[in-house]
Amino acid sequence: MPTAVALTAALGLALSGCGTAATEAGRDADPRASAGAGGGHGGAVRSAVRRLAAQGDAPGAAVLIRREGGGTRFIASGVADVRTGRRIHRSDHFRAGSLTKTVIAAVALRLTAQGRLGLDDPVEEHLPGLVRGHGNDGRNITVRQLLNHTSGLFDYTEDPVLARQLSAAADRTRTPASLVRTALTHRPYFAPGVKWRYSNTNYVLLGMVVQQVTGRSYADEARREVLGPLRLHGTSFPGTRTTLPAPHGRAYTRDSGARGDGARRDVTDLNPSYAGAAGELVSTLDDLSHLLSGLLRGTVVPRAELRQMRDTSASDGQYGMGLFPVRLSCGVTLWGHNGEINGSYALAVATPDGRHTLAYRLNSTAASGLAAETSLLEAEFCPPR
């Protein structure tokens, strides 16, 4: 299953990629799946969707599966809104968290293919004087190391001072430079290129590099280079906008900790600027499916750069550049990314040729590693014995 580290800040504000977490028991908000009755392969998928909602302590879960020559299936369980009982719709928008990194990596690699950015460029070349202090030095960190999380830079979401600030003023706008400065108050985890450790700081810096190279924001460049060509009309970079585009359901989390009573809380509206190029993306299940399919087919990123996206040699097989491998027990390897942000968890994966995709979401703060996630992927991608 996806291998990586869950990343958390205050109030459950989380940016996650390749995260693992203990399975948490729960009760499905509504045991009836929207696809109707059935057995065999379809029944296993529907059962896994119901279990995902229960294990993720989410009011609802939904999956979209596309297979070339085999049509498209949408299956949902539970509700999108616990107050009204509204069901999850296929066209609903939701926050996709660290799946933002897949788009940002694609933008960076398109710039590489165009000769405008070099993977071995030092960060200092594009952001002079920014990455300095406490043992951090942008002269020794490359664009490649930002993309594959081998820079060693501290993850700003783990900073306790920022966590307290977010707890006091969760709607405050955060600039990319301020997030990087927070990270740089800490010593690096290790010297650049020595090890692998997932850090949101890497992709915040990549967003800044993209703007420096192109003269446009990473969001504008992503719309030009990735979202537009793939016709991902339901995907957006909200910036500081706190609301979701219509249609959408609600997003939930549980109050926990010393002051929490465990009650479910609606966290649909939030200022995602603290996530930035590491996790602010809003999308739909259809768009995430098309994103993975388009990338892996070489529609957006040329083949040479696509090989870089899937090169996991620097991370001991855990992560490439904006993509990571998901290895199933039947020997099948999928490629994709997951994402978590307050009130939402999503995963999008595809076969290496991009012809068979699966995207699913929960409308609650959760993390990967759920047993039902494994069951869902193996029910869909592993051939029957």
Short mmCIF file of all heavy atoms in Angstrom, two decimals, residues 100-117 119 143 147 203 206-211 213-214 216-230 237 277 281 291 295 300-302 305 309 321-322:
data_model
loop_
_atom_site.label_atom_id
_atom_site.label_comp_id
_atom_site.label_asym_id
_atom_site.label_seq_id
_atom_site.Cartn_x
_atom_site.Cartn_y
_atom_site.Cartn_z
N THR A 100 -1.86 17.53 -5.04
CA THR A 100 -1.29 18.75 -5.61
C THR A 100 0.13 18.50 -6.09
O THR A 100 0.57 19.04 -7.12
CB THR A 100 -1.29 19.87 -4.56
OG1 THR A 100 -2.57 19.98 -3.96
CG2 THR A 100 -0.90 21.21 -5.17
N LYS A 101 0.88 17.70 -5.35
CA LYS A 101 2.29 17.47 -5.68
C LYS A 101 2.45 16.79 -7.04
O LYS A 101 3.44 17.03 -7.75
CB LYS A 101 2.95 16.63 -4.58
CG LYS A 101 3.06 17.35 -3.24
CD LYS A 101 3.70 16.46 -2.18
CE LYS A 101 3.90 17.20 -0.87
NZ LYS A 101 2.64 17.50 -0.17
N THR A 102 1.51 15.96 -7.40
CA THR A 102 1.58 15.31 -8.72
C THR A 102 1.50 16.35 -9.82
O THR A 102 2.24 16.28 -10.82
CB THR A 102 0.43 14.29 -8.86
OG1 THR A 102 0.49 13.36 -7.77
CG2 THR A 102 0.52 13.54 -10.17
N VAL A 103 0.62 17.33 -9.66
CA VAL A 103 0.49 18.40 -10.66
C VAL A 103 1.73 19.28 -10.69
O VAL A 103 2.26 19.61 -11.76
CB VAL A 103 -0.77 19.24 -10.37
CG1 VAL A 103 -0.87 20.41 -11.34
CG2 VAL A 103 -2.02 18.38 -10.45
N ILE A 104 2.24 19.66 -9.51
CA ILE A 104 3.42 20.53 -9.45
C ILE A 104 4.64 19.82 -10.04
O ILE A 104 5.45 20.43 -10.75
CB ILE A 104 3.69 20.96 -8.00
CG1 ILE A 104 2.52 21.79 -7.46
CG2 ILE A 104 4.99 21.74 -7.90
CD1 ILE A 104 2.23 23.06 -8.25
N ALA A 105 4.78 18.53 -9.76
CA ALA A 105 5.89 17.77 -10.34
C ALA A 105 5.79 17.74 -11.86
O ALA A 105 6.79 17.88 -12.57
CB ALA A 105 5.91 16.36 -9.77
N ALA A 106 4.57 17.56 -12.38
CA ALA A 106 4.38 17.54 -13.83
C ALA A 106 4.76 18.89 -14.44
O ALA A 106 5.39 18.95 -15.51
CB ALA A 106 2.93 17.19 -14.16
N VAL A 107 4.40 19.98 -13.78
CA VAL A 107 4.76 21.32 -14.26
C VAL A 107 6.28 21.46 -14.30
O VAL A 107 6.85 21.91 -15.31
CB VAL A 107 4.14 22.41 -13.37
CG1 VAL A 107 4.72 23.78 -13.71
CG2 VAL A 107 2.63 22.43 -13.51
N ALA A 108 6.95 21.08 -13.21
CA ALA A 108 8.40 21.21 -13.15
C ALA A 108 9.08 20.38 -14.23
O ALA A 108 10.06 20.82 -14.86
CB ALA A 108 8.90 20.80 -11.77
N LEU A 109 8.58 19.19 -14.48
CA LEU A 109 9.21 18.32 -15.47
C LEU A 109 8.90 18.78 -16.89
O LEU A 109 9.70 18.55 -17.81
CB LEU A 109 8.80 16.87 -15.23
CG LEU A 109 9.50 16.29 -13.99
CD1 LEU A 109 8.79 15.06 -13.48
CD2 LEU A 109 10.96 15.99 -14.29
N ARG A 110 7.77 19.41 -17.11
CA ARG A 110 7.52 20.03 -18.42
C ARG A 110 8.52 21.17 -18.65
O ARG A 110 9.05 21.32 -19.77
CB ARG A 110 6.09 20.55 -18.51
CG ARG A 110 5.07 19.47 -18.83
CD ARG A 110 3.68 20.04 -18.94
NE ARG A 110 3.52 20.97 -20.05
CZ ARG A 110 3.16 20.62 -21.28
NH1 ARG A 110 2.94 19.34 -21.58
NH2 ARG A 110 3.03 21.52 -22.22
N LEU A 111 8.80 21.95 -17.63
CA LEU A 111 9.79 23.02 -17.76
C LEU A 111 11.18 22.43 -18.02
O LEU A 111 11.97 23.01 -18.78
CB LEU A 111 9.80 23.87 -16.49
CG LEU A 111 8.54 24.71 -16.23
CD1 LEU A 111 8.63 25.37 -14.86
CD2 LEU A 111 8.35 25.76 -17.32
N THR A 112 11.45 21.30 -17.41
CA THR A 112 12.72 20.60 -17.67
C THR A 112 12.81 20.17 -19.12
O THR A 112 13.84 20.36 -19.79
CB THR A 112 12.84 19.37 -16.75
OG1 THR A 112 12.81 19.80 -15.39
CG2 THR A 112 14.13 18.62 -17.01
N ALA A 113 11.73 19.59 -19.64
CA ALA A 113 11.71 19.14 -21.04
C ALA A 113 11.87 20.32 -22.00
O ALA A 113 12.44 20.17 -23.09
CB ALA A 113 10.40 18.40 -21.33
N GLN A 114 11.40 21.49 -21.60
CA GLN A 114 11.50 22.68 -22.44
C GLN A 114 12.86 23.36 -22.30
O GLN A 114 13.12 24.37 -22.97
CB GLN A 114 10.39 23.67 -22.07
CG GLN A 114 8.99 23.15 -22.33
CD GLN A 114 7.92 23.94 -21.58
OE1 GLN A 114 8.19 24.97 -20.95
NE2 GLN A 114 6.68 23.45 -21.63
N GLY A 115 13.72 22.85 -21.43
CA GLY A 115 15.04 23.43 -21.24
C GLY A 115 15.05 24.68 -20.39
O GLY A 115 16.05 25.40 -20.34
N ARG A 116 13.96 24.93 -19.69
CA ARG A 116 13.87 26.15 -18.87
C ARG A 116 14.24 25.91 -17.41
O ARG A 116 14.41 26.86 -16.66
CB ARG A 116 12.45 26.71 -18.96
CG ARG A 116 12.01 26.99 -20.39
CD ARG A 116 10.53 27.30 -20.48
NE ARG A 116 10.20 28.59 -19.86
CZ ARG A 116 8.96 29.03 -19.68
NH1 ARG A 116 7.93 28.27 -20.06
NH2 ARG A 116 8.75 30.20 -19.13
N LEU A 117 14.36 24.66 -17.03
CA LEU A 117 14.68 24.29 -15.66
C LEU A 117 15.51 23.02 -15.70
O LEU A 117 15.20 22.10 -16.47
CB LEU A 117 13.38 24.07 -14.87
CG LEU A 117 13.50 23.70 -13.39
CD1 LEU A 117 14.12 24.85 -12.60
CD2 LEU A 117 12.13 23.35 -12.81
N LEU A 119 17.07 19.72 -13.58
CA LEU A 119 16.89 18.94 -12.36
C LEU A 119 18.06 19.09 -11.40
O LEU A 119 17.90 18.99 -10.19
CB LEU A 119 16.67 17.46 -12.69
CG LEU A 119 15.36 17.12 -13.39
CD1 LEU A 119 15.29 15.62 -13.68
CD2 LEU A 119 14.16 17.55 -12.54
N VAL A 143 16.96 20.95 -7.54
CA VAL A 143 15.55 20.80 -7.90
C VAL A 143 15.15 19.33 -7.84
O VAL A 143 14.06 18.98 -7.38
CB VAL A 143 15.29 21.39 -9.29
CG1 VAL A 143 13.90 21.04 -9.80
CG2 VAL A 143 15.49 22.90 -9.28
N LEU A 147 12.03 17.51 -5.70
CA LEU A 147 11.01 16.68 -6.34
C LEU A 147 10.90 15.30 -5.71
O LEU A 147 9.79 14.76 -5.57
CB LEU A 147 11.30 16.55 -7.84
CG LEU A 147 10.91 17.75 -8.70
CD1 LEU A 147 11.64 17.71 -10.03
CD2 LEU A 147 9.40 17.78 -8.93
N TYR A 203 7.88 21.00 -1.79
CA TYR A 203 6.98 21.39 -2.87
C TYR A 203 6.53 22.85 -2.75
O TYR A 203 6.22 23.48 -3.76
CB TYR A 203 5.81 20.41 -2.96
CG TYR A 203 6.20 19.21 -3.80
CD1 TYR A 203 7.09 18.25 -3.31
CD2 TYR A 203 5.74 19.06 -5.11
CE1 TYR A 203 7.48 17.18 -4.08
CE2 TYR A 203 6.13 17.99 -5.88
CZ TYR A 203 7.00 17.06 -5.38
OH TYR A 203 7.41 15.99 -6.16
N LEU A 206 9.26 24.33 -4.61
CA LEU A 206 9.08 24.10 -6.05
C LEU A 206 8.09 25.09 -6.65
O LEU A 206 8.30 25.59 -7.76
CB LEU A 206 8.62 22.67 -6.31
CG LEU A 206 9.69 21.59 -6.28
CD1 LEU A 206 9.05 20.21 -6.27
CD2 LEU A 206 10.63 21.73 -7.49
N GLY A 207 7.02 25.39 -5.93
CA GLY A 207 6.08 26.39 -6.40
C GLY A 207 6.75 27.74 -6.60
O GLY A 207 6.48 28.46 -7.57
N MET A 208 7.63 28.10 -5.67
CA MET A 208 8.36 29.36 -5.78
C MET A 208 9.35 29.33 -6.95
O MET A 208 9.52 30.33 -7.66
CB MET A 208 9.09 29.65 -4.47
CG MET A 208 8.17 29.80 -3.28
SD MET A 208 9.03 30.00 -1.70
CE MET A 208 9.58 31.71 -1.86
N VAL A 209 9.99 28.19 -7.17
CA VAL A 209 10.91 28.05 -8.30
C VAL A 209 10.16 28.21 -9.63
O VAL A 209 10.62 28.90 -10.55
CB VAL A 209 11.64 26.69 -8.24
CG1 VAL A 209 12.38 26.41 -9.55
CG2 VAL A 209 12.61 26.65 -7.06
N VAL A 210 8.99 27.57 -9.74
CA VAL A 210 8.19 27.68 -10.96
C VAL A 210 7.86 29.14 -11.25
O VAL A 210 7.96 29.61 -12.39
CB VAL A 210 6.90 26.84 -10.84
CG1 VAL A 210 5.92 27.19 -11.96
CG2 VAL A 210 7.24 25.36 -10.87
N GLN A 211 7.48 29.87 -10.23
CA GLN A 211 7.14 31.29 -10.44
C GLN A 211 8.37 32.09 -10.88
O GLN A 211 8.27 32.96 -11.76
CB GLN A 211 6.56 31.90 -9.17
CG GLN A 211 6.20 33.37 -9.33
CD GLN A 211 5.25 33.88 -8.27
OE1 GLN A 211 4.68 33.10 -7.52
NE2 GLN A 211 5.08 35.19 -8.21
N VAL A 213 10.98 31.00 -12.52
CA VAL A 213 11.40 30.61 -13.87
C VAL A 213 10.44 31.13 -14.93
O VAL A 213 10.87 31.56 -16.01
CB VAL A 213 11.51 29.06 -13.96
CG1 VAL A 213 11.67 28.60 -15.41
CG2 VAL A 213 12.68 28.57 -13.10
N THR A 214 9.15 31.10 -14.65
CA THR A 214 8.15 31.43 -15.67
C THR A 214 7.60 32.84 -15.59
O THR A 214 7.02 33.34 -16.56
CB THR A 214 6.95 30.46 -15.57
OG1 THR A 214 6.26 30.68 -14.33
CG2 THR A 214 7.42 29.01 -15.65
N ARG A 216 5.10 33.46 -13.76
CA ARG A 216 3.69 33.23 -13.42
C ARG A 216 3.62 32.38 -12.16
O ARG A 216 4.53 31.62 -11.87
CB ARG A 216 2.96 32.51 -14.57
CG ARG A 216 2.75 33.36 -15.82
CD ARG A 216 2.00 32.57 -16.88
NE ARG A 216 2.85 31.54 -17.46
CZ ARG A 216 3.64 31.73 -18.53
NH1 ARG A 216 3.67 32.89 -19.13
NH2 ARG A 216 4.36 30.75 -18.99
N SER A 217 2.52 32.49 -11.45
CA SER A 217 2.34 31.68 -10.25
C SER A 217 2.30 30.20 -10.63
O SER A 217 1.98 29.84 -11.77
CB SER A 217 1.05 32.06 -9.53
OG SER A 217 -0.08 31.64 -10.28
N TYR A 218 2.61 29.35 -9.67
CA TYR A 218 2.53 27.91 -9.94
C TYR A 218 1.12 27.51 -10.35
O TYR A 218 0.93 26.61 -11.16
CB TYR A 218 3.03 27.09 -8.75
CG TYR A 218 2.21 27.22 -7.49
CD1 TYR A 218 1.03 26.49 -7.31
CD2 TYR A 218 2.62 28.06 -6.46
CE1 TYR A 218 0.28 26.61 -6.15
CE2 TYR A 218 1.88 28.17 -5.29
CZ TYR A 218 0.71 27.46 -5.15
OH TYR A 218 -0.03 27.58 -4.00
N ALA A 219 0.11 28.19 -9.79
CA ALA A 219 -1.27 27.87 -10.15
C ALA A 219 -1.55 28.22 -11.60
O ALA A 219 -2.16 27.43 -12.34
CB ALA A 219 -2.23 28.61 -9.22
N ASP A 220 -1.13 29.40 -12.02
CA ASP A 220 -1.33 29.79 -13.43
C ASP A 220 -0.58 28.86 -14.37
O ASP A 220 -1.09 28.46 -15.42
CB ASP A 220 -0.86 31.23 -13.65
CG ASP A 220 -1.83 32.26 -13.09
OD1 ASP A 220 -2.99 31.88 -12.80
OD2 ASP A 220 -1.42 33.42 -12.92
N GLU A 221 0.65 28.51 -14.00
CA GLU A 221 1.44 27.63 -14.86
C GLU A 221 0.83 26.24 -14.91
O GLU A 221 0.81 25.59 -15.97
CB GLU A 221 2.88 27.56 -14.34
CG GLU A 221 3.88 27.00 -15.33
CD GLU A 221 4.07 27.87 -16.57
OE1 GLU A 221 3.65 29.04 -16.57
OE2 GLU A 221 4.65 27.36 -17.55
N ALA A 222 0.29 25.76 -13.80
CA ALA A 222 -0.36 24.45 -13.79
C ALA A 222 -1.60 24.46 -14.67
O ALA A 222 -1.87 23.47 -15.38
CB ALA A 222 -0.74 24.06 -12.36
N ARG A 223 -2.35 25.55 -14.65
CA ARG A 223 -3.52 25.63 -15.53
C ARG A 223 -3.11 25.59 -17.00
O ARG A 223 -3.77 24.93 -17.82
CB ARG A 223 -4.31 26.90 -15.22
CG ARG A 223 -5.15 26.81 -13.94
CD ARG A 223 -6.06 28.00 -13.77
NE ARG A 223 -5.33 29.16 -13.28
CZ ARG A 223 -5.21 29.49 -12.00
NH1 ARG A 223 -5.76 28.72 -11.08
NH2 ARG A 223 -4.55 30.57 -11.63
N ARG A 224 -2.04 26.25 -17.34
CA ARG A 224 -1.56 26.30 -18.73
C ARG A 224 -0.97 24.97 -19.18
O ARG A 224 -1.20 24.52 -20.31
CB ARG A 224 -0.49 27.37 -18.89
CG ARG A 224 -0.98 28.81 -18.83
CD ARG A 224 0.19 29.76 -18.62
NE ARG A 224 1.26 29.54 -19.59
CZ ARG A 224 1.39 30.22 -20.73
NH1 ARG A 224 0.51 31.16 -21.05
NH2 ARG A 224 2.40 29.98 -21.55
N GLU A 225 -0.19 24.34 -18.31
CA GLU A 225 0.63 23.21 -18.72
C GLU A 225 0.02 21.84 -18.42
O GLU A 225 0.39 20.85 -19.05
CB GLU A 225 2.01 23.30 -18.03
CG GLU A 225 2.81 24.53 -18.38
CD GLU A 225 3.32 24.50 -19.81
OE1 GLU A 225 3.43 23.41 -20.39
OE2 GLU A 225 3.61 25.59 -20.36
N VAL A 226 -0.90 21.76 -17.45
CA VAL A 226 -1.44 20.46 -17.05
C VAL A 226 -2.96 20.45 -17.08
O VAL A 226 -3.57 19.65 -17.79
CB VAL A 226 -0.93 20.05 -15.64
CG1 VAL A 226 -1.52 18.71 -15.22
CG2 VAL A 226 0.59 20.00 -15.62
N LEU A 227 -3.60 21.32 -16.31
CA LEU A 227 -5.06 21.28 -16.21
C LEU A 227 -5.72 21.55 -17.55
O LEU A 227 -6.69 20.87 -17.92
CB LEU A 227 -5.55 22.28 -15.16
CG LEU A 227 -4.93 22.21 -13.76
CD1 LEU A 227 -5.70 23.12 -12.82
CD2 LEU A 227 -4.90 20.79 -13.23
N GLY A 228 -5.23 22.55 -18.29
CA GLY A 228 -5.81 22.88 -19.58
C GLY A 228 -5.67 21.76 -20.60
O GLY A 228 -6.66 21.30 -21.17
N PRO A 229 -4.43 21.29 -20.85
CA PRO A 229 -4.25 20.21 -21.83
C PRO A 229 -5.04 18.94 -21.51
O PRO A 229 -5.48 18.25 -22.42
CB PRO A 229 -2.74 19.95 -21.78
CG PRO A 229 -2.15 21.26 -21.36
CD PRO A 229 -3.14 21.85 -20.40
N LEU A 230 -5.22 18.64 -20.23
CA LEU A 230 -5.97 17.43 -19.85
C LEU A 230 -7.46 17.70 -19.66
O LEU A 230 -8.21 16.79 -19.34
CB LEU A 230 -5.38 16.84 -18.56
CG LEU A 230 -4.00 16.21 -18.68
CD1 LEU A 230 -3.53 15.70 -17.33
CD2 LEU A 230 -3.98 15.07 -19.70
N PHE A 237 -6.96 25.71 -8.12
CA PHE A 237 -6.09 26.12 -7.02
C PHE A 237 -6.79 27.27 -6.32
O PHE A 237 -6.81 28.39 -6.83
CB PHE A 237 -4.72 26.56 -7.55
CG PHE A 237 -3.87 25.44 -8.08
CD1 PHE A 237 -4.05 24.95 -9.36
CD2 PHE A 237 -2.89 24.88 -7.28
CE1 PHE A 237 -3.27 23.92 -9.84
CE2 PHE A 237 -2.10 23.84 -7.75
CZ PHE A 237 -2.28 23.36 -9.04
N ALA A 277 1.55 25.02 -2.69
CA ALA A 277 1.95 24.10 -3.75
C ALA A 277 2.13 22.68 -3.23
O ALA A 277 2.31 21.75 -4.02
CB ALA A 277 3.23 24.58 -4.42
N LEU A 281 -4.87 21.85 -3.74
CA LEU A 281 -5.71 21.49 -4.89
C LEU A 281 -7.13 21.10 -4.49
O LEU A 281 -7.35 20.40 -3.51
CB LEU A 281 -5.07 20.33 -5.65
CG LEU A 281 -5.51 20.10 -7.10
CD1 LEU A 281 -4.94 21.19 -8.00
CD2 LEU A 281 -5.04 18.73 -7.59
N LEU A 291 -6.23 12.85 -14.67
CA LEU A 291 -4.87 13.30 -14.39
C LEU A 291 -3.89 12.14 -14.42
O LEU A 291 -2.86 12.20 -15.09
CB LEU A 291 -4.83 13.98 -13.01
CG LEU A 291 -3.43 14.31 -12.46
CD1 LEU A 291 -2.73 15.35 -13.32
CD2 LEU A 291 -3.54 14.80 -11.00
N LEU A 295 -1.09 11.55 -17.41
CA LEU A 295 0.33 11.54 -17.07
C LEU A 295 1.01 10.25 -17.53
O LEU A 295 2.06 10.27 -18.18
CB LEU A 295 0.50 11.69 -15.56
CG LEU A 295 0.50 13.10 -14.98
CD1 LEU A 295 0.60 13.03 -13.46
CD2 LEU A 295 1.66 13.91 -15.54
N VAL A 300 1.00 14.63 -21.08
CA VAL A 300 1.43 15.92 -20.54
C VAL A 300 2.94 15.99 -20.37
O VAL A 300 3.58 16.96 -20.76
CB VAL A 300 0.73 16.20 -19.20
CG1 VAL A 300 1.29 17.45 -18.54
CG2 VAL A 300 -0.76 16.36 -19.41
N VAL A 301 3.52 14.97 -19.79
CA VAL A 301 4.95 14.93 -19.54
C VAL A 301 5.62 13.99 -20.55
O VAL A 301 5.18 12.84 -20.68
CB VAL A 301 5.23 14.44 -18.10
CG1 VAL A 301 6.72 14.31 -17.84
CG2 VAL A 301 4.61 15.41 -17.09
N PRO A 302 6.63 14.44 -21.28
CA PRO A 302 7.30 13.57 -22.24
C PRO A 302 7.85 12.30 -21.59
O PRO A 302 8.09 12.26 -20.38
CB PRO A 302 8.44 14.45 -22.79
CG PRO A 302 7.96 15.85 -22.57
CD PRO A 302 7.17 15.81 -21.29
N GLU A 305 10.91 12.40 -19.22
CA GLU A 305 10.61 13.00 -17.92
C GLU A 305 9.66 12.12 -17.11
O GLU A 305 9.74 12.08 -15.88
CB GLU A 305 10.02 14.40 -18.11
CG GLU A 305 11.04 15.48 -18.46
CD GLU A 305 11.65 15.29 -19.84
OE1 GLU A 305 10.93 14.83 -20.76
OE2 GLU A 305 12.84 15.60 -20.02
N MET A 309 9.77 10.68 -13.21
CA MET A 309 8.69 10.69 -12.22
C MET A 309 8.56 9.34 -11.54
O MET A 309 8.15 9.25 -10.37
CB MET A 309 7.36 11.08 -12.87
CG MET A 309 7.27 12.52 -13.32
SD MET A 309 5.60 13.00 -13.86
CE MET A 309 4.79 13.29 -12.27
N MET A 321 8.85 11.22 -8.35
CA MET A 321 8.69 12.66 -8.36
C MET A 321 7.21 12.96 -8.56
O MET A 321 6.69 12.90 -9.67
CB MET A 321 9.51 13.30 -9.49
CG MET A 321 11.00 13.14 -9.35
SD MET A 321 11.90 13.92 -10.72
CE MET A 321 13.60 13.61 -10.20
N GLY A 322 6.51 13.18 -7.47
CA GLY A 322 5.07 13.43 -7.55
C GLY A 322 4.25 12.18 -7.79
O GLY A 322 3.03 12.26 -7.95
#
